[in-house]
Amino acid sequence: MDSMKKLTTIIMAGGKGERLFPLTRDKAKPVITFGGIYRILDFTLSNCLNSGIRRIYVLSQYGSFSLEQHLRQAWDVMHPDLNEFIYSMPPQQIMVNRWYRGTADSIYQNLTLLEQERPRQVLILSGDHVYKLNYREMMDFHLQHNADLTVAAVMVPRVEGSSFGILKVNEASEVENFLEKPKDPPGLPDNPDFSLVSMGVYIFNAETLVEEVIKDAKKKTSKHDFGGDIIPQMVGHKKVYAYNFQDPVTNTPRYWRDIGLLDAYFKAHQDLLGKAPVFELYDADWPVRSKPQLYPPSKYICSGSHVTVEDSLIASGCIIEGTVERSVLSPGVKVGVGATVCQAILWDGVEVGSGAHIRQAIIEEGVRVPPGFTIGLDHERDAKRFHVTENGVVVVPNNAVMVGD
Amino acid sequence: MKTILVVDDDEAIRTLLREELEEEGYKVVIATNARDALKMVETEPLDLVILDIRMPGMDGLEALPRILGLKEGLPVILNSAYSQYQESFMSWAADAYVVKSSDLTELKVKIKELVAK
C-alpha cells in the first residue's frame, strides 16, 4: 500500500509572529507576502502537493481570518469527493476552554480529529518555512528506521548553531538530545564542524504522538512545544531519528529558512535573485503554487530618462519608469521616472513617486512613496519614522503616512 | 481523608462504590451526570475521579479532557462496563481504565496507587 495513504498532515500556523512586527500587525505570519507573488505558507503547502499529500489540516489561531482568506483564494484546489481537503482549524474550545498553549497543545486539543482519522503516521509541519522537501522521502526514511519519531534537520556550521534548536545525534542518526540555542553546539559524528538544526518538521507514529501529547499536557512545567518538550520527553524511551536534509550527491545542506525575523525575511529574498539563485523558484519539477491573479503584463516605459532593471523579480502588472536593482516587486507596483529602488521588497500596489530613492527596505501593500522621498539612505531619520532592523532594513507598514522631503 | 468523586448515571453502581470506598476510608461525593461532575471538579477539593463512559447528555470521554482542563493533574479512572473504549485515543488521557466488575479489587488498587502520587 502507498505509505502516504495512512498519513494525516497538520500544519502549525497559529503563532503570533511578534518578531516579524510590523508585518504581522494585521495578518498571520504564514500569509505574509514572500517572493513577490507567494505567501510563506505556499511553500509548505506546495511541498505537500508535490509530495502527493492531499489531506491537510492547518491549525490557525492568531489572525485566523487572513489565513482562511488565503486558503480560500489560493488553495481551493482539493476535491472533497476524493477525500482530499485543506481545512483550517482555529482552537475550537470544545475539548478544553483555552487557546493553543503551544504546538504540542494544539495537537492535544485536536485529539478527536486523530481519533476520527485514525492515521498510521502524522506529519507535522510549520507554516512559516521556505524550503522544498519531498515528504515522501522523509517517510521512506521513517519507515526504514522503524522510528517512532523522525525529525527533519539541516546542517549549519557549528559556530552558527547557537541561535537554533540543535539535535545531538549518534552515528546511526538516532537523536540523543535536543538543545535549545546551546552555547557550545554539538557537531555531527561524521562531520564535526557542522551541527544539525531541527527544521520543526516531524513524522510521528500516530499512537506515539497521542501518548506523548497527553503526557505533555499533564506536565505543569511544560511549555507544550515539540522541540523543547516533546523531543526531550521521548529521547531515551522511544526511537527518535534525525532525517538529514542534504543533497544526496554532494552531502551539502539543502535550502531551508525559518522566516522568524525581519532580517531573515529580507535575506531570504536576496536568495531568490541572480542567474543561479540560492533558492530557485524556476523549478519545473517542484512548482510553487500561489493565488491566481489577473494582471496585465508588466511594462517598462522609457519616457526620456533611463530605465534599468537588474537582478530582480518583477511580478505582473508593474509599471517601471526608473531603476530597479536586486529587488522583489509584487503585482501592480509602480516605479516613477528617475526613481531608484535598490535591495527592496515592494508588496502589491506600492507606488514609488518620481525621483524617490529606496534602499534596503520592505514596503507593505498599497504604500505611496511621495516623489523625491528617500527611504534607507539615512537610518537615523528613518528610525524616527519607521521600524529599522538590526541589519539596517527599513520596514514601512501599510498605514505609514509620508510627506515629501 | 482523600475525597473521591464518583460519576455514574446508574444508581446501583453509585451505591456500591460509595459503600465500598467509604469502607476503605475515603470520602465519596457523587455526580449523576457529567455536567454536574464538571461543576464539582471546579468547586470542590477532590483527590480522584471515577468516571463512567456511557452516560446520557455528555459522555465520559467528552468530560475527561474538560476535567483535566479544569484541574490539571487530577487523577481520573475511567470505569466502564465496556472494554472497547480503551482503543479510543480519547480514553488515553485517563490515568487508568478499569472495566466494571462486581469484584472491585482492581479498582481499589488503582485508586490507592493514584491517590498516593
Side-chain angles (χ1 to χ4, degrees):
Chain A
M1 196 183 74
D2 184 349
S3 61
M4 307 298 266
K5 278 261 193 274
K6 294 293 283 177
L7 176 76
T8 289
T9 298
I10 299 175
I11 302 178
M12 304 285 169
K16 202 163 179 189
E18 271 164 350
R19 293 174 305 158
L20 277 178
F21 187 87
L23 304 183
T24 47
R25 197 184 73 261
D26 54 358
K27 57 181 84 62
K29 177 159 75 163
V31 293
I32 287 175
T33 299
F34 187 91
I37 60 168
Y38 309 97
R39 307 301 180 103
I40 300 175
L41 178 64
D42 292 338
F43 292 88
T44 297
L45 284 172
S46 296
N47 285 346
C48 290
L49 221 54
N50 290 327
S51 305
I53 292 169
R54 298 284 186 278
R55 290 181 297 117
I56 302 163
Y57 295 95
V58 180
L59 300 190
S60 63
Q61 179 155 283
Y62 177 80
S64 58
F65 175 66
S66 58
L67 199 68
E68 176 67 27
Q69 205 175 20
H70 180 63
L71 291 176
R72 291 273 187 107
Q73 290 175 348
W75 286 93
D76 194 10
V77 293
M78 300 301 185
H79 291 274
D81 291 358
L82 304 176
N83 196 21
E84 300 177 349
F85 55 79
I86 298 176
Y87 289 134
S88 80
M89 310 261 297
Q92 307 195 75
Q93 316 257 335
I94 287 178
M95 201 169 128
V96 287
N97 206 357
R98 60 169 184 253
W99 292 86
Y100 295 146
R101 296 184 296 190
T103 48
D105 187 49
S106 68
I107 299 293
Y108 175 76
Q109 290 200 30
N110 286 297
L111 282 184
T112 42
L113 178 160
L114 293 178
E115 175 59 27
Q116 284 159 15
E117 290 251 331
R118 276 287 170 165
R120 200 165 289 158
Q121 287 91 14
V122 182
L123 170 65
I124 294 176
L125 304 170
S126 176
D128 45 16
H129 296 161
V130 174
Y131 64 118
K132 293 186 241 178
L133 167 56
N134 191 338
Y135 303 122
R136 200 177 275 275
E137 286 171 15
M138 186 176 164
M139 176 64 99
D140 291 343
F141 175 94
H142 179 78
L143 296 173
Q144 277 159 18
H145 287 77
N146 197 20
D148 293 308
L149 163 62
T150 298
V151 186
V154 69
M155 292 183 291
V156 297
R158 210 172 71 82
V159 286
E160 293 170 21
S162 301
S163 48
F164 296 99
I166 300 292
L167 297 171
K168 184 174 184 292
V169 296
N170 66 18
E171 274 154 13
S173 296
E174 203 164 351
V175 177
E176 294 179 333
N177 209 351
F178 174 86
L179 306 156
E180 186 68 56
K181 297 179 180 157
K183 276 197 187 115
D184 185 22
L188 278 157
D190 56 352
N191 201 350
D193 294 334
F194 283 84
S195 296
L196 268 186
V197 171
S198 166
M199 291 163 56
V201 168
Y202 310 98
I203 295 177
F204 276 92
N205 286 349
E207 296 193 350
T208 306
L209 174 66
V210 172
E211 283 166 6
E212 296 299 329
V213 296
I214 286 174
K215 204 197 255 186
D216 171 75
K218 293 184 176 185
K219 282 189 183 161
K220 285 184 181 152
T221 52
S222 175
K223 286 182 176 156
H224 312 292
D225 180 59
F226 274 110
D229 300 295
I230 299 286
I231 300 178
Q233 176 177 292
M234 291 178 70
V235 163
H237 308 286
K238 295 282 169 70
K239 282 183 275 180
V240 184
Y241 281 86
Y243 172 75
N244 192 340
F245 184 45
Q246 61 180 350
D247 187 297
V249 180
T250 60
N251 288 346
T252 50
R254 296 191 55 199
Y255 190 87
W256 171 85
R257 292 293 183 275
D258 176 1
I259 309 296
L261 290 167
L262 289 165
D263 283 323
Y265 174 85
F266 182 82
K267 210 162 165 281
H269 276 79
Q270 298 295 308
D271 294 340
L272 305 173
L273 306 175
K275 193 172 182 182
V278 188
F279 188 70
E280 182 63 89
L281 294 170
Y282 281 65
D283 185 345
D285 291 338
W286 206 263
V288 181
R289 229 198 109 76
S290 69
K291 183 169 90 175
Q293 297 189 85
L294 291 173
Y295 278 96
S298 284
K299 54 182 175 181
Y300 303 168
I301 300 169
C302 185
S303 34
S305 71
H306 212 62
V307 176
T308 312
V309 178
E310 286 178 5
D311 292 332
S312 296
L313 293 174
I314 313 289
S316 302
C318 292
I319 302 175
I320 297 168
E321 297 176 88
T323 299
V324 178
E325 288 170 7
R326 293 200 67 78
S327 294
V328 179
L329 272 52
S330 288
V333 169
K334 291 180 182 151
V335 178
V337 177
T340 59
V341 174
C342 183
Q343 287 196 315
I345 302 162
L346 309 184
W347 289 7
D348 297 56
V350 167
E351 293 184 16
V352 180
S354 54
H357 297 286
I358 294 166
R359 198 184 162 77
Q360 275 220 320
I362 302 164
I363 304 184
E364 285 194 341
E365 75 276 9
V367 169
R368 289 176 178 210
V369 181
F373 202 84
T374 63
I375 294 169
L377 301 177
D378 181 345
H379 282 163
E380 236 171 79
R381 205 176 49 172
D382 287 330
K384 284 179 193 157
R385 296 187 289 213
F386 309 117
H387 182 86
V388 181
T389 70
E390 215 173 290
N391 291 357
V393 178
V394 185
V395 185
V396 182
N398 52 22
N399 60 356
V401 179
M402 281 172 268
V403 283
D405 273 14
Chain B
M1 190 187 273
K2 302 283 186 184
T3 307
I4 297 174
L5 170 63
V6 172
V7 190
D8 207 300
D9 61 323
D10 182 337
E11 198 187 343
I13 300 277
R14 294 196 302 262
T15 311
L16 172 73
L17 288 179
R18 182 197 283 278
E19 280 175 6
E20 292 268 342
L21 296 177
E22 280 179 350
E23 209 166 279
E24 297 279 316
Y26 300 110
K27 182 185 170 194
V28 177
V29 290
I30 297 284
T32 60
N33 61 66
R35 291 201 183 274
D36 288 350
L38 289 175
K39 277 182 211 147
M40 291 169 80
V41 167
E42 212 169 359
T43 53
E44 293 190 24
L46 299 171
D47 299 290
L48 186 134
V49 180
I50 298 173
L51 183 61
D52 183 25
I53 294 182
R54 279 202 196 173
M55 289 183 286
M58 187 191 291
D59 71 30
L61 293 185
E62 282 175 64
L64 174 60
R66 296 184 195 205
I67 290 172
L68 298 174
L70 290 170
K71 283 271 168 73
E72 254 172 54
L74 175 63
V76 179
I77 298 175
L78 284 172
N79 188 37
S80 171
Y82 308 90
S83 62
Q84 77 257 30
Y85 296 111
Q86 278 183 90
E87 283 157 34
S88 164
F89 286 155
M90 306 313 293
S91 74
W92 294 13
D95 297 86
Y97 189 110
V98 177
V99 178
K100 278 179 188 169
S101 150
S102 54
D103 178 6
L104 296 182
T105 316
E106 189 193 352
L107 184 64
K108 286 177 185 170
V109 169
K110 290 284 179 203
I111 294 171
K112 208 170 179 185
E113 227 175 79
L114 290 166
V115 294
K117 266 188 189 173

